Amino acid sequence: MWLIVLFDLPTETKKERKAYTKFRKFLLDDGFNMMQYSVYYRHCASRENAEAHTRRIKGALPEKGFVNVISITDKQFGDIQFFVGRKEKPPPNAPHQLELF
């Protein structure tokens, strides 16, 4: 599973910029990577793990703004086409699963 977080937060006042920065730092500390401005993604080992991260996001929501959380499968994430300028870029590699013997 992959979680994608899209957000549009106000940054007009100092308080709003602080809330924006705090939320962005929360995402980075929780293992998310920036896909583009205000779009972050993270791999989750299972649906339960994705739900746990979604609950964490709910707990860190700023007072104002819009936040969307989308969960997609590995296959759907693999079908995303990434472009930088006019050139296609390969998608990020999924992390390897931990194997226990």
Side-chain angles (χ1 to χ4, degrees), residues 4-7 20 24 27 33-41 80-83 89:
I4 300 175
V5 179
L6 307 102
F7 58 93
Y20 172 93
R24 184 181 173 281
L27 291 174
N33 296 298
M34 187 171 77
M35 186 178 289
Q36 62 187 57
Y37 293 119
S38 299
V39 180
Y40 287 72
Y41 69 97
I80 295 174
Q81 293 182 333
F82 292 86
F83 297 94
K89 179 182 174 187

Side-chain angles (χ1 to χ4, degrees), residues 74-92:
D74 285 335
K75 170 82 171 99
Q76 291 167 324
F77 188 83
D79 288 341
I80 295 174
Q81 293 182 333
F82 292 86
F83 297 94
V84 177
R86 293 179 182 241
K87 296 182 181 179
E88 190 166 359
K89 179 182 174 187

Side-chain angles (χ1 to χ4, degrees), residues 43-55:
H43 185 265
C44 296
S46 65
R47 181 172 296 281
E48 292 79 18
N49 185 249
E51 290 169 358
H53 284 284
T54 301
R55 284 191 300 275

